[in-house]
Amino acid sequence: AGEGTTIDATNPYSVLSGGRTLEIAVTLTVAADVATELERVVIRDAKKTGLKKTGAGTLSLADCRIEANGFMDASGITGCGAYIESGVLTMTNCALRGNVIYNKTGNLVYGTGIYLKNLTRAYLDDCSFVTNGMPTATSRQAAAVLMDVLP
């Protein structure tokens, strides 16, 4: 992870890549009463999940791209693009695209774009979810967004 690059010279992004070798490209544990912000970051090419966040703190993503994650053959996948558990999530002007799992075992794939679990609040403002999916799974739920046990 951490290979710096630019998508457009006038519009720089940092790129965090799983290099198609890491199961999870970025893992964050955000403690209660802590706020973590990511801005203008591309998270891509993880074998299982692009971004995994746990902990009761707040995560804010602004103008981020989470793409091309989740291509390994596995069962029980939750959140190929992002798996966000607990706390508060704010996403503004983000795109989740091309997060796809090819599951030859045929079952248990959930929320390939983003999987939200046990959050206090989730704000998704001006975000797009495009071409996320699970074309070969027989038991599948929510190709774009799956919210599990939101209070």
Side-chain angles (χ1 to χ4, degrees), residues 7 21 36 41 99 108 110 114 128 144:
I7 293 174
T21 58
T36 299
V41 174
N99 299 293
L108 299 175
Y110 305 102
I114 189 169
S128 63

Side-chain angles (χ1 to χ4, degrees), residues 110-134:
Y110 305 102
T112 56
I114 189 169
Y115 183 87
L116 305 174
K117 183 175 182 181
N118 296 330
L119 295 180
T120 306
R121 282 206 166 98
Y123 301 96
L124 306 176
D125 184 30
D126 198 25
C127 295
S128 63
F129 299 85
V130 182
T131 62
N132 299 292
M134 45 206 124

Side-chain angles (χ1 to χ4, degrees), residues 18-106:
R20 298 204 179 267
T21 58
L22 297 176
E23 284 198 11
I24 301 171
V26 177
T27 301
L28 300 172
T29 302
V30 183
D33 300 323
V34 173
T36 299
E37 298 178 16
L38 296 178
E39 184 176 356
R40 307 188 61 68
V41 174
V42 176
I43 299 170
R44 60 176 300 125
D45 295 327
K47 287 171 54 175
K48 182 177 176 183
T49 300
L51 169 64
K52 180 176 182 179
K53 181 265 183 199
T54 59
T58 298
L59 175 62
S60 296
L61 303 173
D63 199 22
C64 292
R65 308 293 177 254
I66 300 174
E67 58 191 30
N69 296 292
F71 56 89
M72 94 178 177
D73 178 37
S75 183
I77 299 295
T78 54
C80 295
Y83 174 92
I84 310 295
E85 182 175 351
S86 300
V88 175
L89 171 67
T90 300
M91 293 177 65
T92 305
N93 193 34
C94 293
L96 286 89
R97 61 180 167 229
N99 299 293
V100 178
I101 194 77
Y102 292 94
N103 185 327
K104 294 177 187 160
T105 57

